[in-house]
Structure formats: C-alpha cells, structure tokens
Coordinates of all heavy atoms in Angstrom, one line a residue:
G1 N 16.2 0.1 3.2 CA 17.1 -0.7 2.4 C 17.2 -2.2 2.7 O 18.1 -2.8 2.2
L2 N 16.3 -2.7 3.5 CA 16.3 -4.1 3.9 C 15.5 -5.0 3.0 O 15.7 -6.2 3.0 CB 15.8 -4.2 5.4 CG 16.6 -3.5 6.4 CD1 16.0 -3.6 7.8 CD2 18.1 -4.1 6.5
M3 N 14.6 -4.4 2.2 CA 13.9 -5.2 1.2 C 13.8 -4.4 -0.1 O 13.6 -3.2 -0.1 CB 12.4 -5.5 1.7 CG 12.4 -6.5 2.8 SD 10.7 -7.0 3.2 CE 10.2 -7.8 1.7
S4 N 13.9 -5.1 -1.2 CA 13.8 -4.4 -2.5 C 12.5 -4.6 -3.2 O 12.1 -3.9 -4.1 CB 15.0 -5.0 -3.4 OG 14.8 -6.4 -3.6
S5 N 11.8 -5.7 -2.9 CA 10.5 -6.0 -3.5 C 9.6 -6.7 -2.6 O 10.0 -7.3 -1.6 CB 10.8 -6.9 -4.7 OG 9.6 -7.5 -5.2
I6 N 8.3 -6.6 -2.8 CA 7.3 -7.3 -2.0 C 7.4 -8.8 -2.1 O 6.9 -9.6 -1.3 CB 5.9 -6.8 -2.4 CG1 4.9 -7.2 -1.3 CG2 5.4 -7.4 -3.7 CD1 3.6 -6.5 -1.4
F7 N 8.1 -9.3 -3.1 CA 8.4 -10.7 -3.3 C 9.6 -11.2 -2.6 O 9.9 -12.4 -2.6 CB 8.5 -11.1 -4.8 CG 7.2 -10.8 -5.6 CD1 7.1 -9.9 -6.6 CD2 6.0 -11.5 -5.2 CE1 6.0 -9.7 -7.3 CE2 4.9 -11.3 -5.9 CZ 4.8 -10.4 -7.0
A8 N 10.4 -10.3 -2.0 CA 11.6 -10.7 -1.2 C 12.4 -11.7 -1.9 O 12.5 -12.9 -1.5 CB 11.1 -11.2 0.2
P9 N 13.1 -11.3 -3.0 CA 13.8 -12.3 -3.8 C 15.0 -13.0 -3.2 O 15.3 -14.1 -3.5 CB 14.3 -11.4 -5.0 CG 14.3 -10.0 -4.5 CD 13.2 -9.9 -3.5
T10 N 15.7 -12.4 -2.2 CA 16.9 -13.0 -1.6 C 16.6 -13.7 -0.3 O 15.5 -13.3 0.4 CB 18.0 -11.9 -1.4 OG1 17.6 -11.0 -0.3 CG2 18.3 -11.1 -2.6
I11 N 17.4 -14.6 0.1 CA 17.2 -15.3 1.4 C 17.2 -14.3 2.6 O 16.4 -14.5 3.5 CB 18.3 -16.4 1.5 CG1 18.1 -17.5 0.6 CG2 18.4 -16.9 3.0 CD1 19.1 -18.6 0.6
K12 N 18.1 -13.4 2.6 CA 18.2 -12.4 3.7 C 16.9 -11.6 3.8 O 16.4 -11.4 4.9 CB 19.4 -11.5 3.5 CG 19.6 -10.5 4.6 CD 20.8 -9.7 4.4 CE 21.0 -8.7 5.6 NZ 22.2 -7.8 5.4
E13 N 16.4 -11.1 2.6 CA 15.2 -10.3 2.6 C 13.9 -11.1 3.1 O 13.1 -10.6 3.7 CB 14.9 -9.8 1.2 CG 15.8 -8.7 0.7 CD 15.5 -8.2 -0.7 OE1 14.3 -8.0 -0.9 OE2 16.4 -8.1 -1.5
R14 N 13.9 -12.4 2.8 CA 12.7 -13.2 3.1 C 12.6 -13.5 4.6 O 11.5 -13.8 5.1 CB 12.9 -14.6 2.4 CG 12.8 -14.5 0.9 CD 13.1 -15.8 0.2 NE 12.0 -16.7 0.2 CZ 11.0 -16.6 -0.7 NH1 11.0 -15.7 -1.6 NH2 10.0 -17.5 -0.6
K15 N 13.7 -13.3 5.4 CA 13.6 -13.5 6.8 C 12.7 -12.5 7.5 O 12.0 -12.8 8.4 CB 15.0 -13.6 7.4 CG 15.8 -14.8 7.0 CD 17.2 -14.8 7.6 CE 18.0 -16.0 7.1 NZ 19.4 -15.9 7.7
Y16 N 12.8 -11.2 7.1 CA 12.1 -10.2 7.7 C 10.6 -10.3 7.7 O 9.9 -10.3 8.7 CB 12.5 -8.8 7.1 CG 14.0 -8.5 7.3 CD1 14.8 -8.4 6.2 CD2 14.5 -8.3 8.6 CE1 16.2 -8.1 6.3 CE2 15.9 -8.0 8.7 CZ 16.7 -7.9 7.6 OH 18.0 -7.6 7.8
P17 N 10.0 -10.5 6.5 CA 8.5 -10.7 6.5 C 8.1 -12.0 7.2 O 7.0 -12.0 7.8 CB 8.2 -10.8 5.0 CG 9.5 -11.1 4.3 CD 10.5 -10.5 5.1
L18 N 8.9 -13.0 7.3 CA 8.6 -14.2 8.0 C 8.6 -14.0 9.5 O 7.7 -14.4 10.2 CB 9.5 -15.4 7.7 CG 9.3 -16.1 6.3 CD1 10.4 -17.0 6.0 CD2 7.9 -16.9 6.4
Y19 N 9.6 -13.3 10.0 CA 9.6 -12.9 11.4 C 8.3 -12.1 11.8 O 7.6 -12.4 12.8 CB 10.8 -12.0 11.7 CG 12.1 -12.7 11.8 CD1 13.2 -12.1 11.2 CD2 12.3 -13.9 12.4 CE1 14.5 -12.7 11.2 CE2 13.5 -14.5 12.5 CZ 14.6 -13.9 11.9 OH 15.8 -14.6 11.9
I20 N 8.0 -11.2 10.9 CA 6.8 -10.3 11.2 C 5.5 -11.2 11.1 O 4.6 -11.0 12.0 CB 6.7 -9.2 10.1 CG1 7.9 -8.2 10.4 CG2 5.4 -8.4 10.2 CD1 8.1 -7.2 9.2
S21 N 5.4 -12.0 10.1 CA 4.2 -12.9 10.0 C 4.0 -13.8 11.2 O 2.9 -13.9 11.7 CB 4.3 -13.7 8.7 OG 4.3 -12.9 7.5
I22 N 5.1 -14.4 11.6 CA 5.0 -15.3 12.8 C 4.5 -14.6 14.0 O 3.6 -15.1 14.7 CB 6.3 -16.0 13.0 CG1 6.6 -17.0 11.9 CG2 6.3 -16.8 14.3 CD1 8.1 -17.5 11.8
I23 N 5.0 -13.4 14.2 CA 4.6 -12.6 15.4 C 3.1 -12.2 15.3 O 2.4 -12.3 16.2 CB 5.5 -11.4 15.5 CG1 6.9 -11.7 15.9 CG2 4.9 -10.4 16.6 CD1 7.9 -10.6 15.8
L24 N 2.7 -11.8 14.1 CA 1.3 -11.4 13.9 C 0.4 -12.6 14.0 O -0.7 -12.5 14.5 CB 1.2 -10.7 12.5 CG 1.9 -9.4 12.4 CD1 1.8 -8.9 10.9 CD2 1.3 -8.3 13.3
Y25 N 0.8 -13.8 13.5 CA -0.1 -15.0 13.6 C -0.2 -15.3 15.1 O -1.3 -15.7 15.5 CB 0.6 -16.2 12.9 CG 0.6 -16.0 11.4 CD1 1.5 -16.8 10.6 CD2 -0.2 -15.2 10.7 CE1 1.5 -16.7 9.3 CE2 -0.2 -15.1 9.3 CZ 0.7 -15.8 8.6 OH 0.8 -15.8 7.2
L26 N 0.8 -15.2 15.9 CA 0.7 -15.5 17.3 C -0.2 -14.5 18.0 O -0.9 -14.9 18.9 CB 2.1 -15.5 17.9 CG 3.1 -16.6 17.5 CD1 4.5 -16.4 18.1 CD2 2.5 -18.0 18.0
M27 N -0.1 -13.2 17.6 CA -1.0 -12.2 18.2 C -2.5 -12.6 17.9 O -3.4 -12.4 18.8 CB -0.7 -10.9 17.6 CG 0.5 -10.2 18.1 SD 0.8 -8.6 17.4 CE -0.6 -7.7 17.9
I28 N -2.7 -13.1 16.7 CA -4.1 -13.5 16.3 C -4.5 -14.7 17.2 O -5.7 -14.7 17.7 CB -4.2 -13.9 14.8 CG1 -4.0 -12.6 14.0 CG2 -5.5 -14.6 14.5 CD1 -3.8 -12.9 12.5
L29 N -3.6 -15.6 17.4 CA -4.0 -16.8 18.2 C -4.2 -16.5 19.7 O -5.1 -17.1 20.3 CB -2.8 -17.8 18.1 CG -2.7 -18.6 16.8 CD1 -1.4 -19.4 16.7 CD2 -3.9 -19.5 16.6
Y30 N -3.5 -15.5 20.2 CA -3.6 -15.2 21.6 C -4.6 -14.0 21.9 O -5.2 -14.0 23.0 CB -2.2 -14.8 22.2 CG -1.4 -16.0 22.4 CD1 -0.3 -16.3 21.5 CD2 -1.6 -16.9 23.5 CE1 0.5 -17.4 21.7 CE2 -0.8 -18.0 23.7 CZ 0.2 -18.3 22.8 OH 1.0 -19.4 22.9
K31 N -4.8 -13.2 20.9 CA -5.6 -12.0 21.2 C -7.0 -11.9 20.4 O -8.0 -11.4 20.9 CB -4.8 -10.7 20.9 CG -3.6 -10.5 21.8 CD -4.1 -10.3 23.3 CE -2.9 -10.1 24.2 NZ -3.3 -9.9 25.6
V32 N -7.0 -12.4 19.2 CA -8.1 -12.2 18.3 C -9.1 -13.4 18.4 O -10.3 -13.2 18.8 CB -7.7 -12.0 16.8 CG1 -9.0 -11.9 16.0 CG2 -6.9 -10.8 16.7
I33 N -8.6 -14.6 18.1 CA -9.5 -15.8 18.0 C -10.1 -16.2 19.4 O -11.3 -16.5 19.5 CB -8.8 -16.9 17.3 CG1 -8.5 -16.6 15.9 CG2 -9.7 -18.2 17.4 CD1 -7.7 -17.6 15.1
P34 N -9.3 -16.1 20.5 CA -9.8 -16.5 21.8 C -11.1 -15.7 22.2 O -11.9 -16.2 23.0 CB -8.7 -16.2 22.8 CG -7.5 -16.4 21.9 CD -7.8 -15.9 20.6
Q35 N -11.2 -14.5 21.7 CA -12.4 -13.7 22.1 C -13.7 -14.2 21.5 O -14.8 -14.1 22.0 CB -12.2 -12.2 21.6 CG -11.0 -11.5 22.4 CD -10.8 -10.1 21.9 OE1 -11.5 -9.6 21.1 NE2 -9.7 -9.5 22.4
N36 N -13.6 -14.8 20.3 CA -14.7 -15.5 19.6 C -14.2 -16.9 19.2 O -14.1 -17.1 18.0 CB -15.1 -14.7 18.4 CG -15.5 -13.2 18.7 OD1 -16.5 -13.0 19.3 ND2 -14.7 -12.3 18.3
Y37 N -13.9 -17.7 20.1 CA -13.2 -18.9 19.9 C -13.8 -19.8 18.8 O -15.0 -20.2 18.9 CB -12.9 -19.7 21.1 CG -12.0 -20.9 20.9 CD1 -10.6 -20.6 20.8 CD2 -12.4 -22.2 20.8 CE1 -9.7 -21.6 20.6 CE2 -11.5 -23.2 20.6 CZ -10.1 -22.9 20.5 OH -9.2 -23.9 20.3
I38 N -13.1 -20.1 17.8 CA -13.5 -20.9 16.7 C -12.4 -22.0 16.5 O -11.3 -21.6 16.0 CB -13.8 -20.1 15.4 CG1 -14.9 -19.1 15.6 CG2 -14.2 -21.1 14.2 CD1 -15.0 -18.1 14.5
N39 N -12.7 -23.2 16.8 CA -11.7 -24.3 16.8 C -11.1 -24.4 15.4 O -9.9 -24.5 15.3 CB -12.4 -25.6 17.2 CG -11.4 -26.6 17.8 OD1 -10.5 -26.2 18.4 ND2 -11.7 -27.8 17.6
E40 N -11.9 -24.5 14.4 CA -11.4 -24.7 13.0 C -10.4 -23.6 12.6 O -9.4 -23.8 12.0 CB -12.5 -24.8 12.0 CG -13.5 -25.9 12.3 CD -14.6 -25.6 13.2 OE1 -14.5 -24.5 13.9 OE2 -15.6 -26.4 13.3
L41 N -10.8 -22.3 12.9 CA -10.0 -21.2 12.5 C -8.7 -21.1 13.3 O -7.6 -20.7 12.8 CB -10.8 -19.9 12.7 CG -10.4 -18.7 11.9 CD1 -10.3 -19.0 10.4 CD2 -11.4 -17.6 12.1
Y42 N -8.8 -21.5 14.6 CA -7.7 -21.4 15.5 C -6.6 -22.3 15.0 O -5.4 -21.9 14.9 CB -8.1 -21.9 16.9 CG -7.0 -21.8 17.9 CD1 -6.7 -20.7 18.6 CD2 -6.2 -23.0 18.2 CE1 -5.7 -20.6 19.6 CE2 -5.2 -22.9 19.1 CZ -4.9 -21.8 19.8 OH -3.9 -21.7 20.7
F43 N -6.9 -23.5 14.6 CA -5.9 -24.5 14.2 C -5.4 -24.2 12.8 O -4.3 -24.7 12.4 CB -6.4 -25.9 14.4 CG -6.3 -26.4 15.8 CD1 -7.5 -26.5 16.5 CD2 -5.1 -26.6 16.4 CE1 -7.5 -26.8 17.9 CE2 -5.1 -27.0 17.8 CZ -6.3 -27.1 18.5
F44 N -6.2 -23.5 12.0 CA -5.7 -23.0 10.7 C -4.5 -22.1 10.9 O -3.5 -22.3 10.2 CB -6.8 -22.3 9.9 CG -6.4 -21.6 8.7 CD1 -5.8 -22.3 7.6 CD2 -6.5 -20.2 8.6 CE1 -5.4 -21.7 6.4 CE2 -6.1 -19.5 7.4 CZ -5.5 -20.3 6.3

C-alpha cells in the first residue's frame, strides 16, 4: 500500500523508487562497471 501506480503520482510515493534507484546505481558503480571498466559509462 506504499505505491498506487508505477508513475508514483504523489510526493511520498516518489521517494521510494528514488531511494531504490540510487542504491541500485551505486551497486552498478561499485560492482558491475569496475569489472569491465568503461570510463564513459561509469560517469553516465
């Protein structure tokens, strides 16, 4: 009951996917890209 739509219409709902996205992006930066380091992709 924390989200009603994939578009997260309210301010409260929008915080959850952003928290998740930031954590997942950091995982990519620390775990995925360093194994096949690509400068352009890393800074994207």
Side-chain angles (χ1 to χ4, degrees):
L2 297 174
M3 286 187 69
S4 60
S5 164
I6 197 167
F7 294 119
T10 68
I11 287 177
K12 186 178 179 180
E13 287 181 46
R14 295 172 81 82
K15 291 178 183 178
Y16 298 113
L18 280 170
Y19 286 136
I20 293 166
S21 294
I22 292 166
I23 292 168
L24 293 174
Y25 292 159
L26 290 173
M27 285 179 65
I28 290 168
L29 287 170
Y30 285 103
K31 295 295 182 182
V32 178
I33 297 176
Q35 294 178 7
N36 301 290
Y37 191 75
I38 299 171
N39 205 34
E40 298 88 348
L41 203 52
Y42 182 87
F43 285 106
F44 171 62

